[in-house]
Every structure is written in structure tokens, then in C-alpha cells.
Amino acid sequence: MGGDQDLPTDPLPEGITVGDDGVARCWWGAGDPLYRRYHDQEWGRPVADDRRLFEKLSLEGFQAGLSWLTILRKREQFREVLAGFDPATVAQFGIQEVERLLADPGIVRNRAKIEATINNARRYGDLAAEFGSLAAYVWRFEPDPQARPPVLDHAALLQLGQSPESKAMSKDLRRRGWSFVGPTTVYAFMQAMGLVNDHLQGCNRRAPVERERHRFRRPSVAAGEIHRSVRAQGRS
């Protein structure tokens, strides 16, 4: 009788994996320890710090054609050689710094991606001057929760490689001269920085992330910056 009462548990939702610690996670965050820490501690939590936002947007550009795990394994070295992703410092990089970075085996040695990061750091100043911060600019593109899937299961997530908002932000950034900011790259950035909560239904982190997003104070464009932006648009 005792054995007969050991009924099978309900099957896990597709895309959910339970780790050896008994925690249910999105499938991609359940394997490698680096992925697990990133999934549990960072991914999806809302961010308003400009340096972190610039870092993530830059690293998403470096990831193009690679796995995110590759970038995570190199992230500390990226931070070391790119001045902690301080845009003002990276904006001053020239030919010597490009050659130094191309010779560093600890990062992704791709000239186009390196030069794009430097270019974007230079463009950052104009954007921050117009909106007050990169954070204020980025959070203008937060998707309307009502436009999101009512249930985010594995099948729904696979349809979210891009969104109207990521396409709009990508288009606007490229208009401003930014590089390696396609709509898929921008959507991955939005997922990571908490503009959306793409932890699957059944993931241990979905509810805590949603509560954090609810409490999060969205950055806004300073009134003075709005006036300056309006005046600038009137002169263009």
C-alpha cells in the first residue's frame, strides 16, 4: 500500500528544469554554474544604472553569433580592458586601444564589435544629454504589460525574439549612429535589464522578479532635459 501511494508528480512545464538543488529554473539557466548564477541573481531584474546598461548593450553586441555563456566567461576581462564600461572613458579610445583589445585573448577579438563599442560610447554623450541618462532613454521603450503574452510558457517565449518596442529602440539607436543594436540584440538586452520579465511560468525566479519590477521606480527624463530636447528639435 505504501508504494501505491507514491503517486507520480505532475510533469514539469516545457522549458522548466529542476536543478540538483531542487530549484525550478528556465531551462537555459539550470546547467553551467555561471549561467545558474546569472539566471538567479541578474537576469530580468530591473536596472537603472547607466554603466550597467551600457555594459549590457555592448556585451549583447559582442555576443552576436556566439553564445551568452562565452560572453559570461569573458565578462570580467571585458570589464578590465574596457574601463568598467565607463562610456566617457571608452569614448576616448583610439587606434592604440583598438589594437590592444584585438591582441587580448581574454575578450572577443572582433574589430567591428570593438569599434562599435567605442562608437557607441561616443554617441552615449549626446543621448544622455538629451534625455538626462541612458536609463531614462531605455525605459521609454518598456513594453506595455497588456501587450505581453498572458501566460509566458516555452512556446510563447520562442516567439519573442523581437518585439515592436525592441524594433523601435533599435531603429532609433541606429538613427542616432549606434552600431550592433539590431532588434534581436535589443530584445535580449530588454530581457536581461528587466524591461520585460521573461522568466517562464513555473520558474522559481518569475514571481520575485515581477515583484521587483512592480516596486522599481522607472527613471524619467528630467524636465530641463525635455525643454532642451524640444528646443533642439525645433532647430532641426
Side-chain angles (χ1 to χ4, degrees):
M1 290 293 294
D4 293 339
Q5 292 174 353
D6 293 332
L7 299 175
T9 59
D10 292 336
L12 291 171
E14 185 177 3
I16 296 296
T17 301
V18 175
D20 53 15
D21 57 359
V23 175
R25 295 179 175 87
C26 302
W27 82 99
W28 62 265
D32 187 280
L34 266 179
Y35 258 157
R36 181 179 294 192
R37 286 196 297 273
Y38 178 70
H39 171 276
D40 291 0
Q41 299 174 18
E42 296 185 49
W43 198 73
R45 300 181 65 186
V47 174
D49 177 80
D50 269 20
R51 189 178 294 202
R52 285 190 59 198
L53 291 168
F54 181 72
E55 172 186 295
K56 181 59 177 172
L57 199 52
S58 300
L59 291 179
E60 287 293 350
F62 275 105
Q63 184 198 351
L66 303 170
S67 73
W68 181 242
L69 184 57
T70 296
I71 302 301
L72 273 181
R73 288 171 174 164
K74 296 177 179 288
R75 184 166 63 169
E76 290 306 318
Q77 184 62 13
F78 269 115
R79 288 170 172 169
E80 177 68 24
V81 300
L82 286 168
F85 287 93
D86 174 51
T89 302
V90 176
Q92 301 302 314
F93 282 15
I95 297 298
Q96 287 186 336
E97 286 79 14
V98 171
E99 296 303 321
R100 171 176 59 84
L101 293 169
L102 285 170
D104 192 326
I107 66 169
V108 175
R109 293 181 287 181
N110 180 295
R111 182 181 293 274
K113 294 176 180 180
I114 290 169
E115 291 179 345
T117 300
I118 297 169
N119 167 74
N120 294 347
R122 293 169 180 168
R123 305 287 181 176
Y124 164 88
D126 288 339
L127 189 148
E130 180 175 345
F131 294 94
S133 66
L134 177 60
Y137 170 82
V138 162
W139 279 91
R140 293 167 63 244
F141 294 93
E142 180 184 10
D144 181 351
Q146 298 303 315
R148 301 275 297 157
V151 176
L152 190 67
D153 56 17
H154 187 256
L157 181 63
L158 294 182
Q159 301 300 314
L160 292 176
Q162 300 180 6
S163 71
E165 295 81 8
S166 77
K167 292 176 183 177
M169 181 174 160
S170 170
K171 182 178 180 180
D172 190 66
L173 283 173
R174 287 185 289 188
R175 179 181 65 82
R176 295 170 182 275
W178 290 58
S179 305
F180 277 87
V181 285
T184 301
T185 293
V186 169
Y187 189 73
F189 164 84
M190 289 179 162
Q191 290 177 307
M193 297 289 96
L195 279 82
V196 295
N197 180 4
D198 275 356
H199 287 281
L200 297 178
Q201 297 290 339
C203 173
N204 177 266
R205 291 297 300 156
R206 180 168 179 81
V209 164
E210 198 57 38
R211 287 194 295 269
E212 192 167 345
R213 278 179 36 81
H214 181 73
R215 294 191 301 266
F216 179 69
R217 183 174 181 178
R218 273 68 173 164
S220 58
V221 181
E225 303 302 337
I226 294 175
H227 297 321
R228 281 191 283 275
S229 177
V230 169
R231 289 199 298 271
Q233 292 173 16
R235 291 194 297 269
S236 62

